[in-house]
Amino acid sequence: MSELLKVSRSDLSATLTINRPEKRNSLIPEMLDQIDLILDEIANDPKLRILVITGAGDVAFSAGADLSVFASFSPEEVRSKWVPKGHQIFRKLFELPQITIAKINGDTFGGGLELALACDLRISRSDARLGFPENRVGTAPGWNGFQRAVEIVGVARAKELILTGVSIDAAKAESWGLVHQSVSYQELDRATESLQSEIFKSAPHVQKISKQILNTFQSSHSNTVMESIAGAFAHQTKDFQEGVSAFKEKRPSNFRGE
């Protein structure tokens, strides 16, 4: 396994670190494949009770899909591979028998936010920004971001996030229920450890059953086909090409509705 992902373990918990800080911990296909394997290992370890997911460095949890790599895919690759692969892996994370915590150590956008929303609990540093900027580069969330955002914060706030592409700070994210707790950067480690301590106070088997029951109230994972088609369609537009160019050139996009 490469150094793009790191896993550390203690007796009862494991931490998965997205280790691409020079690219704001953005995700590429190789990393998705590795996350898939890591989740299988975690799921099959009966001793582990908690998985913490975080990002390397102090800038970003994850900026989502690496736009340069995503832009190189054909529409058919987006529809048949990239979007379904993300759905499959994030569903596996969602259904993991262990309790999962997204330790949001910095900015969290697009697929990075979808990754965090697939976790059971989210704790964020207070100066982190969170959002779905996909519309601003001419594409759309593709890894069940639509449905999970609606389930967690409601249709109105999901529309605000997705349709405008705005990012919100962790304090607002906490007030919306997008994250469960926001703390200072200095307190993030301690707060995460405290949350784990509270989890350890519950009976392990009952906790697993309770998580399964709670998950049944979320009708996630029905949007793979719709998001795959949406991603493939957006990928063919001139607006997407303009969005990618503007992103690389660090300038405002000049969308023409084409």
Side-chain angles (χ1 to χ4, degrees):
M1 185 170 293
S2 74
E3 291 298 305
L4 293 172
L5 297 163
K6 292 185 175 181
V7 179
S8 60
R9 298 171 182 256
S10 65
D11 290 339
L12 298 175
S13 66
T15 298
L16 167 60
T17 302
I18 306 167
N19 188 38
R20 204 173 176 231
E22 73 283 0
K23 295 291 186 179
R24 297 173 62 82
N25 295 320
S26 58
L27 301 170
I28 57 176
E30 179 183 353
M31 296 167 76
L32 292 183
D33 291 337
Q34 290 180 18
I35 291 172
D36 198 11
L37 294 174
I38 290 168
L39 292 180
D40 284 339
E41 293 175 4
I42 297 293
N44 291 320
D45 189 335
K47 295 180 180 179
L48 287 178
R49 294 188 57 188
I50 296 173
L51 172 64
V52 177
I53 299 180
T54 193
D58 59 1
V59 175
F61 172 79
S62 174
D66 186 314
L67 189 59
S68 296
V69 175
F70 176 66
S72 70
F73 297 150
S74 69
E76 176 58 22
E77 287 174 321
V78 174
R79 186 197 66 79
S80 65
K81 296 180 180 180
W82 180 245
V83 172
K85 183 69 172 179
H87 269 256
Q88 179 255 316
I89 293 169
F90 288 9
R91 177 172 184 169
K92 185 178 291 188
L93 173 61
F94 178 78
E95 295 178 344
L96 205 69
Q98 289 82 3
I99 307 301
T100 54
I101 302 171
K103 180 182 176 183
I104 299 173
N105 60 300
D107 292 343
T108 303
F109 299 126
L113 182 52
E114 289 171 311
L115 175 64
L117 295 183
C119 294
D120 299 311
L121 301 167
R122 289 166 291 284
I123 184 167
S124 175
R125 56 186 278 187
S126 56
D127 59 346
R129 306 286 301 179
L130 302 92
F132 288 110
E134 285 90 342
N135 278 195
R136 294 193 177 191
V137 292
T139 186
W143 291 333
N144 218 16
F146 286 102
Q147 188 157 344
R148 285 207 174 94
V150 168
E151 289 172 343
I152 291 169
V153 301
V155 174
R157 285 171 173 161
K159 283 183 175 181
E160 182 176 350
L161 284 171
I162 294 171
L163 299 182
T164 69
V166 298
S167 62
I168 60 174
D169 59 34
K172 178 176 282 191
E174 183 179 9
S175 72
W176 285 11
L178 196 66
V179 302
H180 298 87
Q181 187 179 2
S182 64
V183 297
S184 69
Y185 179 61
Q186 293 78 11
E187 290 293 311
L188 185 60
D189 288 343
R190 184 202 62 77
T192 305
E193 291 169 3
S194 177
L195 182 58
Q196 292 185 75
S197 296
E198 294 299 320
I199 292 171
F200 290 141
K201 293 177 182 178
S202 297
H205 293 301
V206 175
Q207 203 168 52
K208 289 180 181 179
I209 294 170
S210 297
K211 173 175 175 174
Q212 286 181 312
I213 292 172
L214 289 166
N215 280 357
T216 66
F217 291 95
Q218 290 184 252
S219 55
S220 299
H221 323 309
S222 64
N223 283 337
T224 307
V225 173
M226 288 190 292
E227 290 187 356
S228 298
I229 293 172
F233 173 79
H235 202 278
Q236 299 180 74
T237 65
K238 292 181 180 179
D239 276 350
F240 175 66
Q241 297 171 14
E242 164 61 15
V244 172
S245 296
F247 176 81
K248 291 179 178 178
E249 296 166 12
K250 302 185 184 303
R251 60 172 174 79
S253 299
N254 182 22
F255 294 130
R256 298 181 181 275
E258 300 175 353

